[in-house]
Amino acid sequence: MRKIKAATIRRKGGPFQIETLSLDEPRPDEVLVRVVAAGMCHTDMVARDQLYDVPLPIVLGHEGSGVVEQVGGGVKKVAVGDHVVLTYMWCGHCKPCLRGDLTYCENFYALNFGGTREDGSTATQDASEPIHDHFFGQSSFGTFALIHERNVIKVPKDAPLELLGPLGCGIQTGAGAVMNALKVNPGSSFAAFGGGAVGLSAVMAARVAGAAIIIAVDVVPSRLALAMELGATHTINSRETDPVEAVREIIGGGVDFTLESSGRPAVLRQAIDALAIRGTCGIVGAPALGTEASFDVNGVMTTGKRIIGIIEGDSKPDLFIPALVALYMQGRFPFDKLVKFYTLEQINQAAEDSEKGVTIKPIIRLVS
């Protein structure tokens, strides 16, 4: 057993508590990672607040980056000393996984939100009881994380490791939604409904993809200003104007693609209504389980609009995360402009700043 320092959630709504816990040694297919930093994502708060049925107590964190400390005997993917980003978990043996649809794994919910390995075991405990872990296969709000080799992604050592964790979830969700799922193409038009980390990642990806019109919709002026800096051609403050009408003033007939990342049903309706004929709306916002939304059925049917759900940007992480790192290193995907760093002891402040919109993408440093 190895002693680690980690942030746990023990009751609905938190707070995060910094504790000393014990962590198992790696199994043959597992990798022990010394976590350098971990991004904080809206989904961490969804789990903290029990909007999803996540067992407690648990160590959260699912955007980790770090250095491989130890590998199990059967691991071939990485070696001790490699720099890695930690991403979501998939089973590898269900029908969607076998056909390459990793983000739609039949066991996705259990593996990423169930708080255990696939066999139901945990690797973390305090002095008296097991602690749920393996959140998104990693539980990276700790100084060390024990991960299956499947969801460990090797990255170049010349890239800034403490910055890269958010590529494992939030950043790849926004960028992948544009590049992989919606397939935004050169000369097309795109609108991001929501200007958080996911929406602004989508804006950057739309610029990389060559969209001619890129619209950011949000209610926070500072986020809209940043969107312009990151590649938006237009912004809309939806607190001050009807965003659907504003989109149609920018481009008559509506946009080819929209992405809804706020998780609000009313905003999803706006994203659908703002589409052009044969346009596509992608949904990545995560509301409470059971949330329902409405739309004009004839308005969708008679215009050939499409509404698609997107998980983790339809990403194949072993390919997509290194591609995003390369784009960042070339100066074409400056997601560093979204982040602010916090210490582990400041994790509750990071969560508060994120929820208030003060910080777009908090990153928790696990080493000083």
Side-chain angles (χ1 to χ4, degrees):
M1 302 290 285
R2 177 184 298 265
K3 294 297 183 183
I4 68 169
K5 186 164 69 169
T8 61
I9 291 291
R10 290 187 172 269
R11 60 176 175 82
K12 180 179 179 179
F16 289 96
Q17 299 176 203
I18 310 304
E19 304 183 42
T20 298
L21 304 172
S22 297
L23 184 68
D24 288 349
E25 295 299 308
R27 291 179 175 183
D29 57 0
E30 291 181 332
V31 178
L32 179 70
V33 174
R34 175 171 53 83
V35 181
V36 170
M40 176 172 279
C41 176
H42 171 66
T43 308
D44 291 305
M45 271 69 91
V46 166
R48 178 199 64 186
D49 298 340
Q50 297 288 280
L51 299 180
Y52 284 11
D53 186 17
V54 177
L56 302 178
I58 191 168
V59 179
L60 297 176
H62 64 287
E63 294 183 341
S65 61
V67 179
V68 175
E69 184 88 358
Q70 187 178 347
V71 298
V75 172
K76 297 182 173 61
K77 186 176 181 181
V78 293
V80 172
D82 283 346
H83 288 194
V84 293
V85 167
L86 315 180
T87 190
Y88 66 88
M89 184 58 169
W90 63 97
C91 75
H93 54 74
C94 70
K95 185 178 291 185
C97 284
L98 292 174
R99 66 178 179 234
D101 295 330
L102 309 181
T103 61
Y104 304 100
C105 170
E106 290 178 359
N107 302 297
F108 189 94
Y109 192 91
L111 291 173
N112 289 281
F113 295 96
T116 68
R117 298 179 176 98
E118 188 172 9
D119 66 3
S121 65
T122 62
T124 309
Q125 64 184 49
D126 63 13
S128 60
E129 65 175 342
I131 303 295
H132 293 286
D133 55 15
H134 287 80
F135 185 63
F136 277 69
Q138 58 185 271
S139 288
S140 51
F141 285 161
T143 48
F144 288 87
L146 193 59
I147 307 108
H148 194 285
E149 71 168 323
R150 189 177 297 123
N151 58 316
V152 176
I153 311 301
K154 185 177 177 180
V155 293
K157 289 187 176 180
D158 60 345
L161 186 58
E162 68 174 7
L163 183 66
L164 301 184
L167 297 178
C169 184
I171 305 298
Q172 90 170 339
T173 293
V178 167
M179 295 176 168
N180 303 326
L182 294 174
K183 300 187 186 302
V184 172
N185 53 303
S188 63
S189 54
F190 169 78
F193 282 75
V198 173
L200 292 176
S201 297
V203 165
M204 289 185 282
R207 180 173 65 174
V208 171
I213 294 178
I214 303 171
I215 304 169
V217 183
D218 202 88
V219 298
V220 181
S222 61
R223 291 186 175 191
L224 295 174
L226 180 57
M228 292 294 292
E229 184 179 341
L230 296 175
T233 58
H234 302 79
T235 60
I236 297 169
N237 188 323
S238 56
R239 184 171 286 160
E240 298 175 350
T241 186
D242 182 321
V244 177
E245 291 182 2
V247 166
R248 293 183 182 279
E249 288 176 5
I250 294 167
I251 178 167
V255 289
D256 299 314
F257 304 98
T258 60
L259 185 70
E260 199 296 302
S261 61
S262 75
R264 299 175 181 271
V267 178
L268 174 58
R269 173 62 185 268
Q270 293 168 349
I272 295 168
D273 289 348
L275 287 171
I277 291 173
R278 299 284 288 174
T280 304
C281 172
I283 306 173
V284 295
L289 292 177
T291 299
E292 296 185 357
S294 63
F295 58 88
D296 181 343
V297 174
N298 286 305
V300 170
M301 179 182 65
T302 60
T303 57
K305 293 179 181 179
R306 291 168 173 79
I307 305 167
I308 62 172
I310 303 169
I311 296 294
E312 294 288 345
D314 283 10
S315 169
K316 295 178 174 60
D318 285 294
L319 301 175
F320 193 58
I321 289 175
L324 292 179
V325 173
L327 287 169
Y328 169 75
M329 297 293 282
Q330 294 165 10
R332 299 167 62 196
F333 192 77
F335 72 96
D336 57 312
K337 295 182 179 180
L338 309 180
V339 313
K340 179 180 177 180
F341 288 97
Y342 298 79
T343 65
L344 182 60
E345 288 70 25
Q346 295 172 318
I347 191 169
N348 288 300
Q349 186 65 55
E352 181 180 342
D353 289 352
S354 176
E355 292 178 304
K356 289 182 176 179
V358 174
T359 301
I360 295 174
K361 173 55 70 175
I363 296 181
I364 311 301
R365 283 192 176 110
L366 277 301
V367 295
S368 56

